[in-house]
Amino acid sequence: MAKILMAKVEDGTASPAEIQNFKNLYPDVAKVLVDPSQTKVSVKEAVITAGGEAVSPETGKPLTDAQLAEIEPPADAKPSAPSEEVETPEESAVDPDAPATEAGGDLTAAAGKWKMTHITHTHRSYTGQIILKYHTYARFQYKGGKVRAWGKRYDRFSNESDVVKVGSRTENRKSRVPASSATSMMKRHVELCFAGSIGCYANLYPWAKVKVYGSGKTKIAGSGA
């Protein structure tokens, strides 16, 4: 019975009553097992104007140094090496809300704006403790309805509990530019392991994807497992 209950919790088929029963019977396991329903996503972005000023994409107001530091990758972020990146075909999606004047996409114009995106996926246990946070960072340049170039791309982990064992990237891709839209994606393998010789009890594959348009608009996707 215990094995059946554990299996249902791990594969996401347990009912609310079964999950509560699991937490009552196995509180120590519930503290270290990721609950997909509690995964939270947050996004912080900045636009760097042609004059080099960092501003909010929502309000256009200058960002403080503290606000910019929350978007820039810190020193422990792992940069994407060109040798490990997979380039996918050019995309043709257009931001439906973009001004009509951007539709043509003048690539001969002066350099456009840069946008920086920081996505955080926070993974919690069944009892609410943070097990890990997966961060991804991507920069891109846009102007005239086109994504003109990719900048640096990074990922990192923070707030890891003692059970987390970070593995390698299993996916690292970006689409070809210039194009009217482009997509960046990173995915990692993470094992959850008990201390000592008991071994590992779960595998996670957190991933994050950002689709960007030539208007500067972004669309975020991702998964907790």
Side-chain angles (χ1 to χ4, degrees):
M1 188 68 176
K3 289 184 178 180
I4 295 176
L5 177 59
M6 183 72 72
K8 293 183 73 173
V9 170
E10 291 180 341
D11 66 18
T13 60
S15 67
E18 288 172 324
I19 291 174
Q20 186 58 52
N21 189 33
F22 160 73
K23 290 192 289 186
N24 293 337
L25 292 173
Y26 310 105
D28 291 339
V29 178
K31 290 179 182 178
V32 294
L33 196 65
V34 172
D35 179 1
S37 70
Q38 294 198 62
T39 299
K40 301 296 183 184
V41 182
S42 66
V43 181
K44 296 182 182 295
E45 298 180 316
V47 171
I48 309 301
T49 67
E53 185 178 35
V55 302
S56 165
E58 289 82 21
T59 66
K61 294 181 178 180
L63 298 177
T64 65
D65 290 343
Q67 289 173 322
L68 188 58
E70 294 181 344
I71 302 168
E72 289 273 21
D76 64 344
K78 181 176 175 57
S80 173
S83 60
E84 69 177 26
E85 293 175 340
V86 174
E87 187 177 66
T88 56
E90 178 181 334
E91 299 179 3
S92 59
V94 176
D95 176 6
D97 299 321
T101 54
E102 293 186 344
D106 181 8
L107 296 181
T108 65
K113 298 177 181 178
W114 284 91
K115 190 170 187 179
M116 303 183 298
T117 299
H118 171 200
I119 307 169
T120 304
H121 281 77
T122 300
H123 306 274
R124 295 181 181 273
S125 72
Y126 278 91
T127 52
Q129 288 92 342
I130 293 177
I131 292 181
L132 62 88
K133 291 185 179 182
Y134 182 49
H135 306 262
T136 54
Y137 306 80
R139 302 180 183 182
F140 63 96
Q141 186 188 55
Y142 65 99
K143 186 177 178 67
K146 294 285 187 181
V147 181
R148 298 164 60 111
W150 286 110
K152 289 287 189 179
R153 300 160 60 247
Y154 305 78
D155 71 350
R156 63 184 279 263
F157 289 83
S158 70
N159 298 81
E160 301 108 304
S161 67
D162 293 340
V163 300
V164 174
K165 180 180 178 182
V166 176
S168 60
R169 292 187 185 125
T170 59
E171 285 191 53
N172 181 7
R173 53 185 171 88
K174 62 182 183 182
S175 60
R176 187 177 298 118
V177 292
S180 56
S181 65
T183 299
S184 167
M185 177 178 174
M186 283 190 181
K187 185 177 185 178
R188 282 270 188 174
H189 176 211
V190 174
E191 292 180 289
L192 302 184
C193 309
F194 288 117
S197 59
I198 298 177
C200 300
Y201 58 90
N203 289 285
L204 303 179
Y205 294 89
W207 61 274
K209 180 168 65 175
V210 56
K211 185 180 184 69
V212 303
Y213 296 89
S215 64
K217 181 180 178 180
T218 54
K219 183 178 181 181
I220 307 301
S223 173

